[in-house]
Amino acid sequence: MKRYLIAFFLLIGCYLAFDFASCLLPLAPIRHNVLKGMEQGDMATDYPVAIIPKDQAKLDNYTDAIILNQACQSENFNMLERMLYMPRAHFSMVQTSTLWDSFHNEVTEYDFYVRYWHGSTFLMRFLLTFLTYPMIRLWLFLFSSLLLLWLALELYRKAGAFPAIALIASFTLCYGYLMQFSIQFFCALALALSASIYVCRHHQEWKKIAFALFIIGSLTAFFDLLTVPLLTIGLPMAVFVFLTNREPNPAPLGRQIGQVAGISSIWMAGYFPTWAMKWTLTTVLTPINGFDDAFNQMGFYTISKLDISRWDGVIANLNFLPYKFLICAGIFFLICALISPRISGWRNALLLFLIALTPYVWYLVLNVHSTWHFWFTHRNQIFTTFALLLAAAGMVDWQRLINLPWLGKVFRRKNGQTTE
């Protein structure tokens, strides 16, 4: 416990130091690069559609414009207000045009966004000192692609080709690649991939994983704007369960359930207190009550309304699950499991199935948020798809299936030799 408390307060200190250093940066080059990026046409509308004309393929220029707007506004505020209020110019609800107006009209009205840490904005201030928004997008794409490739290679090295293929398939089918191009989506994706890589390298040491995911939970609260925070615990937990059950003598089911529940609780112990610390600092150090702002918004997103039921968020997000692909894959794995079952695979499948269900608990609780923002909250199902594929494949004894005599005859060549 002492170790976690020390880590928590060190992280809070690092966040405040990071924010302070970011606010010391000169504003002129930041504003220059933001305006230059806009003039290049990369911020034309709030919700442009990328690649295919579907809701799930939308980019979130709306929130990215807010982040860029925040990065440019600090002249009329003191250091504490810059760090805790996160002011932005207000002209209209259309954030891309508001960002443009903030450069060409006098700003007389500001909005405050106090319930988040806004780590992504402070990070962008550093990057915007040297890069335009289109250039930042390119670097985010390259960095996240390297992380994805790294994780796929780690899975391949630990368990063969299938988990690596399942990862890429899940990432592609749930439109995870679009997270690489929006500032507000990128952070959760990068943290999820980084945490999963760490789990791959230390899956036999669950206490190390617990401490690492405590830090990941805290970093998620610092950087993420309630996009897909569950991805930063769900994806590494799916990797952990899969690799743990590939060990020669895996722990009993009860102990594994306890480990998964314990690590997930430790992630929450990093996530929620870090978020609450922002409200506390705002309440104590400024006239604004951060708790009122946060609780009002949480109540707004979680209480069922006349036109939104408790299940609407689940249904809206389920509609974007690649269920046609999962049904076809399920039929294939079922046939293989009937031919060559792996009896011990049920434990792995049960744990992975429970992990796969967790996004729907989130959608039930935050039903309004999940209904309105289903076009990006559905990406929590990246790890749902990944976990289901791993669970189904784990029910098959592949070595026995490959060595079945009749299967060899099916692929026997005309010259009487079997294919390699």
Side-chain angles (χ1 to χ4, degrees):
M1 179 63 72
K2 182 179 179 181
R3 182 189 184 195
Y4 285 92
L5 284 174
I6 292 172
F8 176 77
F9 287 107
L10 281 175
L11 285 166
I12 298 300
C14 289
Y15 300 153
L16 293 173
F18 184 78
D19 295 355
F20 183 80
S22 175
C23 291
L24 290 176
L25 294 171
L27 195 59
I30 295 173
R31 290 180 62 86
H32 171 77
N33 282 325
V34 170
L35 182 59
K36 185 178 178 181
M38 293 181 64
E39 290 172 344
Q40 292 172 348
D42 218 31
M43 191 64 75
T45 60
D46 278 2
Y47 298 109
V49 176
I51 304 176
I52 55 175
K54 292 184 178 181
D55 281 337
Q56 59 265 49
K58 288 194 297 188
L59 296 174
D60 194 3
N61 282 3
Y62 177 93
T63 307
D64 278 11
I66 289 177
I67 292 171
L68 297 178
N69 189 341
Q70 291 168 337
C72 292
Q73 308 301 326
S74 62
E75 295 173 321
N76 300 322
F77 299 90
N78 62 42
M79 180 64 74
L80 194 61
E81 290 169 339
R82 295 179 210 173
M83 292 172 61
L84 297 180
Y85 286 177
M86 195 47 65
R88 69 179 188 270
H90 175 81
F91 287 95
S92 72
M93 291 302 294
V94 181
Q95 296 302 326
T96 48
S97 64
T98 289
L99 181 60
W100 182 263
D101 289 340
S102 69
F103 284 91
H104 298 89
N105 299 288
E106 181 183 0
V107 180
T108 59
E109 185 177 354
Y110 292 90
D111 286 327
F112 297 149
Y113 210 171
V114 302
R115 61 183 172 273
Y116 296 110
W117 278 95
H118 296 282
S120 55
T121 299
F122 293 112
L123 174 62
M124 286 306 112
R125 285 180 60 84
F126 284 102
L127 297 179
L128 287 165
T129 302
F130 307 100
L131 304 170
T132 64
Y133 177 63
M135 294 170 67
I136 289 172
R137 272 184 159 174
L138 176 61
W139 282 106
L140 296 182
F141 170 75
L142 291 174
F143 182 73
S144 55
S145 296
L146 287 174
L147 286 176
L148 181 63
L149 178 61
W150 187 358
L151 177 57
L153 289 174
E154 287 288 340
L155 288 170
Y156 175 76
R157 186 174 64 87
K158 293 282 186 180
F162 179 77
I165 294 171
L167 172 71
I168 300 300
S170 304
F171 187 78
T172 304
L173 291 166
C174 295
Y175 300 88
Y177 52 88
L178 294 179
M179 298 174 70
Q180 299 175 274
F181 296 100
S182 290
I183 295 170
Q184 81 132 335
F185 297 148
F186 166 80
C187 292
L189 174 63
L191 289 171
L193 293 173
S194 300
S196 300
I197 292 167
Y198 184 87
V199 169
C200 276
R201 301 178 73 89
H202 300 278
H203 71 276
Q204 296 174 324
E205 304 169 276
W206 78 271
K207 290 184 178 179
K208 279 189 176 181
I209 291 173
F211 186 71
L213 289 178
F214 172 81
I215 295 172
I216 290 293
S218 180
L219 288 169
T220 303
F222 179 68
F223 283 108
D224 185 60
L225 297 175
L226 202 63
T227 56
V228 284
L230 215 60
L231 188 64
T232 68
I233 180 63
L235 188 62
M237 279 296 91
V239 172
F240 173 72
V241 168
F242 174 70
L243 293 180
T244 298
N245 279 289
R246 286 184 60 85
E247 293 296 313
N249 297 301
L253 177 61
R255 185 183 300 175
Q256 286 195 45
I257 292 175
Q259 288 176 349
V260 171
I263 294 171
S264 301
S265 298
I266 289 170
W267 178 89
M268 289 189 286
Y271 181 76
F272 289 108
T274 296
W275 203 1
M277 183 59 75
K278 175 57 166 59
W279 315 334
T280 303
L281 291 171
T282 303
T283 303
V284 172
L285 300 177
T286 75
I288 295 179
N289 189 320
F291 285 93
D292 279 352
D293 178 75
F295 289 149
N296 287 338
Q297 195 66 22
M298 279 194 287
F300 181 75
Y301 278 147
T302 58
I303 297 174
S304 294
K305 302 180 182 302
L306 291 176
D307 57 337
I308 299 177
S309 74
R310 182 61 63 183
W311 287 95
D312 282 347
V314 175
I315 295 169
N317 285 271
L318 267 175
N319 286 334
F320 286 160
L321 186 72
Y323 56 88
K324 292 180 181 178
F325 169 81
L326 289 175
I327 290 172
C328 293
I331 292 172
F332 169 75
F333 288 125
L334 177 61
I335 294 171
C336 292
L338 290 173
I339 297 171
S340 179
R342 179 172 173 255
I343 304 302
S344 60
W346 69 270
R347 174 172 51 191
N348 180 59
L350 176 61
L351 285 167
L352 287 168
F353 183 72
L354 292 175
I355 291 170
L357 289 178
T358 52
Y360 308 106
V361 177
W362 180 274
Y363 300 147
L364 274 172
V365 175
L366 279 83
N367 59 310
V368 177
H369 181 271
S370 301
T371 302
W372 285 355
H373 301 305
F374 63 93
W375 58 274
F376 66 77
T377 59
H378 78 93
R379 295 192 184 106
N380 275 320
Q381 295 171 122
I382 291 173
F383 74 84
T384 293
T385 304
F386 181 56
L388 290 176
L389 289 174
L390 293 180
M395 296 297 293
V396 182
D397 187 336
W398 295 102
Q399 191 61 47
R400 181 184 167 204
L401 181 67
I402 293 170
N403 292 330
L404 287 175
W406 66 267
L407 189 62
K409 293 178 182 179
V410 172
F411 296 100
R412 191 175 299 277
R413 293 175 179 170
K414 290 181 179 180
N415 62 4
Q417 295 181 343
T418 57
T419 59
E420 295 180 354

